[in-house]
Amino acid sequence: MKKNKKTSLNIKMISKYFLFVFIAVLFSNYFRNNSIYFMPKEYKTIKKIVDKIALKNNLGDEEILFSIGSGAYMEYEAEKLGLCKKDDCYYFKNLNPYKKHKDFKQVNLNELSKQSYLYNSIEAYAWSGVVWLSKSTFKTYGDKTNYLGCIIGHELSHIIYNDHLEQSIKLSEKIKELKNPKDKENSQLNNKKEVNNEEVKKDLFEKLLSRESEIKADQNGAKMMINAGYSKDTCMNSLIFLTKKNYIDAHTGLKSTHPGHLERYESLKKFIETYKKEKEMKTFKPYKWSWRYNRNLNILTFSPKNKY
């Protein structure tokens, strides 16, 4: 009888032990997948930079998401290898570089991701409240996190100031003007042989608005960095670094969505020369924020709190 009781007690202890181990594994797995302390080093770099920027800059009252992808080289090679059709390969550009992927059409996607990290350079964009960067961006900048901060500030500007809405309104107004025969075209759109119909004019003006928004984002990004305590020439040097690494043209093309290096650099230089940090800081009100990381979704979220 005593033996049976002892055996029953042992079974209960073993069951409790395995239950404890199971719960511990679940908890550790959850903690690993959702804790900012166990996220990849690139995300930790983003957090460190944005924390410093947010200390002296109003980043709005809405959540801002950050995500890291494989990059354009992955997209380009996927098309070459027949994994997707032209203009339908965006999936591979955004593919999670921290996750192991199964082979697709007998192509090793993990090896392709490694090559993208090696051969890709600096890539970043902002869309729908998300700041996206390629993993190779962090490799290219290395320890120049101050330069990386200018890129992040630039993309934050697109989101905070809602560039898309502003461009859409201006484009809508321009379309109305184009239908007016008395309209005098923008000087940058005059005397061009290719400007011979409404659709071409619309497209050129859309590109012009895009270039204007990029100039503004450069300026706002530099403003954020200066406010955060970085030297005034940081983002000018960052722009030179970006031009060298990404082989950006010096001149501005009429059909380009981004200004050429010369225009971009001169515009930023003029802005920085006249920017008064002290005046900006007089109206700044400190606030609190928090971070959430989700490994499965490959997203780091900046969440402002107690906004005024």
Side-chain angles (χ1 to χ4, degrees), residues 45-61:
T45 298
I46 291 174
K47 180 182 178 298
K48 186 176 180 180
I49 291 170
V50 176
D51 277 340
K52 188 170 181 178
I53 290 175
L55 278 172
K56 296 295 180 180
N57 293 276
N58 176 11
L59 301 186
D61 56 4

Side-chain angles (χ1 to χ4, degrees), residues 28-291:
S28 61
N29 188 55
Y30 175 84
F31 195 65
R32 174 183 175 274
N33 289 335
N34 296 277
S35 171
I36 59 174
Y37 301 106
F38 291 97
M39 59 188 180
K41 61 181 181 180
E42 290 83 7
Y43 279 113
K44 290 180 180 179
T45 298
I46 291 174
K47 180 182 178 298
K48 186 176 180 180
I49 291 170
V50 176
D51 277 340
K52 188 170 181 178
I53 290 175
L55 278 172
K56 296 295 180 180
N57 293 276
N58 176 11
L59 301 186
D61 56 4
E62 295 184 4
E63 290 187 337
I64 300 173
L65 281 62
F66 296 86
S67 187
I68 298 171
S70 294
Y73 183 88
M74 184 89 171
E75 179 183 17
Y76 172 74
E77 287 299 315
E79 183 188 336
K80 275 181 60 179
L81 292 168
L83 303 183
C84 52
K85 296 179 180 179
K86 190 176 181 181
D87 300 325
D88 194 28
C89 300
Y90 221 60
Y91 169 83
F92 293 95
K93 178 178 182 176
N94 293 328
L95 206 62
N96 186 347
Y98 303 106
K99 185 180 177 182
K100 294 294 182 183
H101 302 279
K102 294 181 179 180
D103 290 1
F104 182 66
K105 293 185 177 181
Q106 298 183 325
V107 173
N108 188 328
L109 295 184
N110 298 313
E111 179 59 32
L112 196 58
S113 182
K114 290 177 184 177
Q115 290 184 25
S116 183
Y117 177 73
L118 177 63
Y119 296 115
N120 215 51
S121 186
I122 299 167
E123 264 189 290
Y125 67 82
W127 183 257
S128 191
V130 180
V131 173
W132 181 95
L133 302 101
S134 68
K135 188 180 179 184
S136 60
T137 295
F138 299 86
K139 174 230 9 170
T140 305
Y141 279 114
D143 61 356
K144 294 180 175 64
T145 54
N146 54 339
Y147 290 0
L148 175 60
C150 294
I151 292 293
I152 290 176
H154 175 107
E155 301 306 335
L156 284 172
S157 172
H158 284 310
I159 293 174
I160 296 167
Y161 296 99
N162 209 340
D163 287 355
H164 175 71
L165 178 60
E166 184 180 341
Q167 286 183 58
S168 295
I169 292 171
K170 287 183 178 180
L171 182 60
S172 178
E173 291 172 350
K174 189 62 180 180
I175 290 172
K176 291 178 182 178
E177 290 177 11
L178 290 174
K179 294 178 180 179
N180 181 1
K182 295 180 180 179
D183 171 56
K184 292 183 178 180
E185 295 301 324
N186 184 292
S187 58
Q188 281 192 259
L189 305 181
N190 273 331
N191 303 320
K192 301 292 179 181
K193 292 180 180 179
E194 55 201 294
V195 182
N196 52 18
N197 60 61
E198 185 178 312
E199 282 302 312
V200 174
K201 290 178 183 179
K202 176 186 171 183
D203 180 65
L204 291 176
F205 189 72
E206 197 168 9
K207 297 294 194 302
L208 176 63
L209 290 176
S210 176
R211 294 195 296 272
E212 287 179 356
S213 75
E214 295 301 325
I215 292 290
K216 287 181 182 178
D218 280 344
Q219 295 172 355
N220 288 328
K223 180 174 71 173
M224 290 181 200
M225 294 295 283
I226 294 169
N227 291 350
Y230 292 92
S231 64
K232 279 194 167 187
D233 62 352
T234 297
C235 289
M236 290 170 62
N237 293 330
S238 172
L239 191 55
I240 293 172
F241 183 84
L242 174 66
T243 300
K244 289 179 178 178
K245 293 297 181 179
N246 280 16
Y247 297 96
I248 296 173
D249 289 337
H251 70 282
T252 299
L254 191 66
K255 295 183 179 181
S256 176
T257 57
H258 288 62
H261 173 74
L262 294 176
E263 180 185 353
R264 203 168 175 178
Y265 184 85
E266 285 303 314
S267 296
L268 184 58
K269 183 181 177 182
K270 287 178 182 178
F271 171 80
I272 290 173
E273 286 173 350
T274 58
Y275 178 64
K276 304 296 181 184
K277 175 183 175 180
E278 297 76 18
K279 184 179 179 181
E280 184 82 13
M281 288 295 96
K282 285 181 180 179
T283 59
F284 173 72
K285 295 180 181 179
Y287 60 100
K288 296 180 180 179
W289 63 89
S290 63
W291 291 94

